[in-house]
Amino acid sequence: MTSCILLTGGAGFIGSHTHIALTAAGHKVVILDDFSNAQHSVPARLEQITGQPVTVIDADVRDADALAKVFATHTIDAVVHFAARKAVGESMAVPLDYFDVNINGLITLLRAMDRAGCRRLVFSSSATVYGVPDEAPTPETAPFRAMNPYGQTKITGEQMLGWLQASNPEWAVGVLRYFNPAGAHGSALIGEDPRDIPNNLMPYVAKVALGQLPRVMVFGNDYDTPDGTGVRDYIHVEDLARGHVLSLEKLLSTGQGHVVNLGTGRGYSVLEVIAAYQRASNRDLPHVITDRRPGDVPIYVARADKAAEVLGFRTEKGLDEMCASLWKWVSNMADGA
Ligand code: WQD
């Protein structure tokens, strides 16, 4: 069954990979993106990868007129909502920007959808909603714990969507709680492309391997983990994209909403990531142990079985493939591709 899917933030890291997965699954895709955190070169690269023209609207998800025009121009069957600010540290500095984009943007989108009679939504959420979880691996039943404004916006978004579905059963929402997205598309034509010094570990390590940064700062090695460094559940962005297709097709075929973790169920420490990236890049990665980063938790690992039960989703790519695909992507970019 082919449908027309609107991807808000569809030129971004996860959005662009989801565009490719949806197109491969036979769906028509429309991208709405303001390119505040995406390169303008992405749509052309998507056309190169898919061999199909890409429909892009350059607009802010808070622009009600732009959204109304999208729904008037295209018959949208469902929406995948990526367009949001997503940096924990930044959200502490500019919380009102995060509330504006992530909450007002969501409300504006939902109103436009409702007016158009489009009530199928995949919502990009995050393991950050768990705050400091009591248990790892962490199940979807773990309580919400807002640790920062970014996490608060994801909790609030999920709660709003819960009430919306309760108010009108025509709404069906797939809430996907991402753990740590990593890696890049196998073509090395798209990937994570941070504008300045990355906050996240994987893109930072990638820059050190290229010689663009001097060393990796390991934020603490005194956590209660096997080697003392932070443990995270890294999930390949191509696996993550496939999870979105399965969530969307579940909504379209059954009208049943769901809330699932998207992770591998396997954690890796910072030192294990550095070792894996050294293998993938064949580069020595200087690193130094520094103080803990405020707000960090020792372990974030998904209980991944609900996504398997509800969506038939299982990850296929491991840490070595994440590192190899990331190395290929950043090397390609460094060569000016
Ligand atoms: C991973 C591990 C750090 C950088 C964040 C967001 C989360 C989600 C994914 C949106 C931790 C350590 C990191 C570095 C290090 N984004 N680290 N040196 O914090 O788990 O999650 O990105 O949904 O919401 O919070 O990812 O990559 O920043 O950190 O030692 O230079 O690497 O302490 O243990 P995090 P991360």
Side-chain angles (χ1 to χ4, degrees):
M1 165 192 60
T2 63
S3 303
C4 183
I5 314 298
L6 172 65
L7 302 189
T8 70
F13 176 40
I14 301 164
S16 56
H17 287 80
T18 302
H19 177 284
I20 293 168
L22 284 169
T23 305
H27 298 288
K28 184 178 179 317
V29 181
V30 175
I31 288 175
L32 179 136
D33 204 304
D34 66 0
F35 292 92
S36 58
N37 192 26
Q39 301 293 343
H40 284 279
S41 60
V42 167
R45 289 169 182 258
L46 290 175
E47 290 189 356
Q48 202 178 336
I49 294 166
T50 64
Q52 297 184 35
V54 173
T55 305
V56 183
I57 296 102
D58 186 340
D60 188 316
V61 72
R62 293 167 292 180
D63 182 342
D65 294 339
L67 282 173
K69 194 173 171 192
V70 172
F71 285 95
T73 309
H74 305 275
T75 304
I76 305 291
D77 298 295
V79 177
V80 185
H81 182 41
F82 294 107
R85 304 280 288 266
K86 68 157 184 112
V88 168
E90 184 188 51
S91 77
M92 301 292 278
V94 286
L96 291 179
D97 290 352
Y98 273 68
F99 299 146
D100 193 6
V101 175
N102 294 10
I103 303 298
N104 283 338
L106 175 60
I107 293 169
T108 307
L109 172 66
L110 293 172
R111 286 195 183 283
M113 291 177 67
D114 205 35
R115 285 195 191 99
C118 173
R119 299 185 180 96
R120 297 285 181 269
L121 174 76
V122 174
F123 179 66
S124 169
S125 191
S126 167
T128 303
V129 303
Y130 298 123
V132 182
D134 295 326
E135 56 182 309
T138 305
E140 288 84 351
T141 52
F144 284 144
R145 285 199 182 121
M147 297 280 290
N148 51 70
Y150 164 69
Q152 181 63 66
T153 67
K154 292 301 179 181
I155 290 169
T156 303
E158 288 199 30
Q159 290 171 330
M160 285 164 43
L161 291 165
W163 285 113
L164 184 62
Q165 292 176 97
S167 74
N168 178 352
E170 287 182 27
W171 279 97
V173 177
V175 172
L176 306 182
R177 293 175 182 163
Y178 308 160
F179 277 69
N180 288 60
H185 191 259
S187 66
L189 289 172
I190 56 168
E192 198 166 9
D193 189 4
R195 290 184 187 278
D196 45 32
I197 295 182
N199 295 310
N200 293 141
L201 178 66
M202 282 280 205
Y204 196 102
V205 165
K207 285 188 177 292
V208 172
L210 284 172
Q212 294 172 353
L213 289 169
R215 68 189 64 77
V216 181
M217 292 176 291
V218 179
F219 295 151
N221 68 344
D222 57 351
Y223 286 106
D224 184 13
T225 63
D227 64 17
T229 64
V231 171
R232 294 293 183 274
D233 184 335
Y234 299 94
I235 177 172
H236 197 292
V237 64
E238 288 194 83
D239 278 337
L240 195 60
R242 190 164 43 82
H244 286 72
V245 177
L246 291 170
S247 173
L248 198 74
E249 291 179 346
K250 176 84 174 180
L251 294 177
L252 289 171
S253 59
T254 68
Q256 287 172 5
H258 44 272
V259 178
V260 295
N261 290 333
L262 291 187
T264 66
R266 166 90 163 81
Y268 289 97
S269 73
V270 177
L271 293 179
E272 286 176 313
V273 168
I274 290 171
Y277 206 84
Q278 284 182 151
R279 290 195 298 273
S281 63
N282 197 27
R283 297 283 173 87
D284 180 42
L285 289 176
H287 52 279
V288 60
I289 306 295
T290 64
D291 292 338
R292 291 182 174 190
R293 177 173 64 178
D296 266 352
V297 301
I299 297 179
Y300 255 144
V301 174
R303 271 281 298 276
D305 42 10
K306 187 178 174 190
E309 289 157 18
V310 171
L311 302 179
F313 174 73
R314 289 171 185 79
T315 53
E316 296 170 356
K317 296 171 184 284
L319 182 64
D320 287 339
E321 285 184 82
M322 291 178 221
C323 293
S325 58
L326 179 58
W327 172 242
K328 194 177 164 198
W329 154 245
V330 296
S331 305
N332 209 16
M333 240 191 351
D335 293 345

